[in-house]
Structure formats: C-alpha cells, structure tokens
Amino acid sequence: MTDQDYMKKAIQLANKAGTATYPNPLVGAILVKGGKIMGQGYHGKNGHNHAEVNAIENAKKQGHIITGATLYVTLEPCCHFGKTPPCVNAIIENKIKKVVIGQKDPNPIVCERGIKELRKNKIQVRNLNLKEVEILTRPEKLFVILKMGVSLDGRITHPKSRYISNCRSLEFVHNLRSSVDAILVGYNTYIKDKPKLTARIKGGRDPERFFLPKVHVDLKKFIKKIEKEGVRTLLVEGGKETATSFLNEKLVDKVYICITPEFFGSKQLDMFGKLDKIVKLKDIYTEKMDEDILISGYVKK
C-alpha cells in the first residue's frame, strides 16, 4: 500500500466522529510498521484524546512494539497544551520514526510548529497536502459540495437505468457521503428516486439527511440554520433545479462531476437551468474511474 492508500483509511476513520468533535477538526490516524497496520484511532469527541494518541494506545493494547513505526495522520499533530497534552510529545516519546500528514493544520497556533518540533527530534515528516482533508478541518463557514453524475451530452437521467455512473464511481460517491456531516436532495429527486442517501461501504458513516420541500426555500437561511446546528460539510446531490439554485445563490464551494462515456439525447434531463452567471472552477483535478471520468474543482468566488 502507498502513503495515499493509508491516508485514505485514516480519512475514513476521521469521519466516524461525525459532528461530535465540533468545533475541533475531524482527525484519523493509522500506525504502520513493516507494511502492517499496528494501530488505528480517531478523535472521537471534543476534549477527548486526539487521533494520534488513540492509534498509539490501540497498538499497545494489541501488544505491538511501535518503535520505528510510521504514523499516518490526516492533520498536522498539535504541539500545544489545550484540553489534552501535545500529540507531538506522544509521538516523540514512543520513538515513531516517520509521520505522514494529510495537510498542515490551518490553526496558527499549530501550523508548521508541529512539523518543526518533530523534525527537531529527528522524526521524518511528509506532507501529502491532500485536498480531501480540507473538509475535515471544520471551517467556521459551512462547506458545500455539489456532486452530479452526467453523460457526455450533459444529461443527468438515464433512459434505461437508475444509475448513470459505474460501480467505481458509485463507490467514490459512498466514500464522499461518509466524509460529510449532511446530505441534501431536492423535492423532485426525493419523489422520483426515493434515494436512501446512505454510505454503503464497509465502515462507512451515514450523514444527516435533508430534503428540500416543494415550496420555495430561502437557501441562505437554511444554510445558516444547519450551521448553527453544527453541520460543517454538506453534500448536495440534488437534480437540475436544486443544483442551479445552489450555484445561483453562490453557496457551492466545491464540485464533483462524474462523467460517463455515453450520449443520452435530448429526452433526458439536462444538468442546469438558467445560471445567473458563468461559474468557473479552479484547482481542477481529474481521475479516471474505469470508463468514467471524475472532474473536481473549487468554485471561484
């Protein structure tokens, strides 16, 4: 397994906490030695042990010797005293050889200081700088992700099947659902498809579900409401009207589009209605998902 593979597992662990860590970020950690996972853990609740400490304790309970191991953790380890002691101390004391992080901690109290402290103690540090970790860091503003599956001619309904995307793309979607606090679809999608909106993967966590009613909803007020309830990441899987409304209200932060290599024709529903302005993306990422192509990017504000 590669560093990225282990980090994906750490991200899955992080998501198990749901909203319980708020306002702290979601963090997962895996301890590896000799190509085998020795221990794993995640930050389960604000004020409780951090992911790194839980992974170390988990390994020790199983009788593993972790000296010289590699720690994979989604976020840079903390180096200050808060409700718990600094995680860098536990890493140093247990003689962990290398630390691979998903991203630097955006908190100025920690940012790069944890890395410097580890390197000062001759511990190797690698930063994968993964965009996927951003939605785990609990930004003050709710982070909205728009996900759509489309054909090459921009249609979002299939003439013969319930699903547009292939199995690998659907697996990605279920992982994405497991990584967010909540998921939303519009009225038409709910009535027509009766979607379960669950994360159907091993170890997955189901997000909170929201369905927009048939009547007009003030989306900005809705976002403020669920923000106050502790929701920090929202996945929008709505159809044409819902996607168009979220874009026109400038509420979307990131977009995932799964494209299947087929043409469905004009009888099928197209992606968007009238957009108030051109929506541009930045930091574009593409990945081949067997025959499908995944395109993601952040909306230029």
Side-chain angles (χ1 to χ4, degrees), residues 127-180:
N127 179 12
L128 297 180
N129 196 28
L130 297 177
K131 290 289 185 183
E132 295 95 315
V133 178
E134 286 188 8
I135 63 173
L136 304 178
T137 58
R138 293 285 185 223
E140 291 185 9
K141 176 183 174 295
L142 188 149
F143 192 88
V144 178
I145 302 165
L146 174 64
K147 190 282 300 179
M148 302 185 83
V150 302
S151 63
L152 280 174
D153 54 343
R155 306 294 167 174
I156 60 173
T157 54
H158 197 291
K160 296 181 179 180
S161 173
R162 177 186 177 91
Y163 299 110
I164 289 176
S165 304
N166 64 21
C167 292
R168 187 174 169 191
S169 294
L170 290 174
E171 182 182 2
F172 166 80
V173 171
H174 288 299
N175 275 287
L176 185 60
R177 288 176 179 178
S178 181
S179 73
V180 298

Side-chain angles (χ1 to χ4, degrees), residues 191-202:
I191 292 299
K192 182 180 178 181
D193 298 336
K194 294 291 190 298
K196 293 180 180 179
L197 305 180
T198 52
R200 298 187 287 281
I201 54 171
K202 186 177 180 180

Side-chain angles (χ1 to χ4, degrees), residues 246-263:
F246 267 84
L247 288 172
N248 282 338
E249 292 290 341
K250 300 177 182 178
L251 294 172
V252 178
D253 297 292
K254 187 171 187 178
V255 176
Y256 285 100
I257 304 293
C258 292
I259 304 173
T260 190
E262 296 178 284
F263 297 101

Side-chain angles (χ1 to χ4, degrees), residues 7 10-11 14 26-29 72-76 101-103 133 136:
M7 192 59 70
I11 290 171
L26 293 166
V27 183
Y72 293 87
V73 59
T74 55
L75 197 64
E76 175 185 2
I101 65 173
Q103 271 200 354
V133 178
L136 304 178

Side-chain angles (χ1 to χ4, degrees), residues 9-231:
K9 287 184 173 293
I11 290 171
Q12 281 189 343
L13 281 171
N15 286 311
K16 287 187 175 183
T19 58
T21 65
Y22 180 77
N24 288 353
L26 293 166
V27 183
I30 290 179
L31 207 54
V32 177
K33 187 176 180 181
K36 294 182 179 180
I37 295 176
M38 301 284 105
Q40 50 189 353
Y42 61 94
H43 179 39
K45 190 175 181 181
N46 182 20
H48 289 205
N49 281 348
H50 287 187
E52 300 94 321
V53 173
N54 285 333
I56 290 169
E57 290 184 353
N58 178 251
K60 287 182 175 180
K61 284 179 181 177
Q62 298 178 68
H64 295 304
I65 298 172
I66 61 175
T67 301
T70 297
L71 177 70
Y72 293 87
V73 59
T74 55
L75 197 64
E76 175 185 2
C78 66
C79 55
H80 66 289
F81 280 90
K83 293 181 179 179
T84 59
C87 291
V88 293
N89 290 5
I91 294 168
I92 295 165
E93 289 166 5
N94 284 279
K95 299 180 180 179
I96 289 169
K97 182 181 180 180
K98 182 179 178 180
V99 176
V100 180
I101 65 173
Q103 271 200 354
K104 294 176 185 177
D105 194 325
N107 183 346
I109 298 174
V110 180
C111 188
E112 296 191 0
R113 294 182 183 181
I115 294 173
K116 288 178 182 177
E117 187 65 23
L118 292 171
R119 286 176 174 161
K120 179 182 173 183
N121 285 271
K122 299 181 180 180
I123 296 171
Q124 301 173 44
V125 180
R126 183 188 180 195
N127 179 12
L128 297 180
N129 196 28
L130 297 177
K131 290 289 185 183
E132 295 95 315
V133 178
E134 286 188 8
I135 63 173
L136 304 178
T137 58
R138 293 285 185 223
E140 291 185 9
K141 176 183 174 295
L142 188 149
F143 192 88
V144 178
I145 302 165
L146 174 64
K147 190 282 300 179
M148 302 185 83
V150 302
S151 63
L152 280 174
D153 54 343
R155 306 294 167 174
I156 60 173
T157 54
H158 197 291
K160 296 181 179 180
S161 173
R162 177 186 177 91
Y163 299 110
I164 289 176
S165 304
N166 64 21
C167 292
R168 187 174 169 191
S169 294
L170 290 174
E171 182 182 2
F172 166 80
V173 171
H174 288 299
N175 275 287
L176 185 60
R177 288 176 179 178
S178 181
S179 73
V180 298
D181 294 331
I183 186 170
L184 175 145
V185 296
Y187 176 82
N188 291 333
T189 299
Y190 174 69
I191 292 299
K192 182 180 178 181
D193 298 336
K194 294 291 190 298
K196 293 180 180 179
L197 305 180
T198 52
R200 298 187 287 281
I201 54 171
K202 186 177 180 180
R205 177 185 60 83
D206 293 338
E208 185 175 357
R209 293 173 292 176
F210 293 105
F211 307 98
L212 291 180
K214 189 174 183 179
V215 296
H216 175 73
V217 174
D218 187 321
L219 292 178
K220 289 182 178 178
K221 284 185 178 179
F222 168 76
I223 291 296
K224 289 293 183 185
K225 178 179 178 293
I226 63 174
E227 269 183 342
K228 289 179 180 178
E229 295 171 356
V231 174

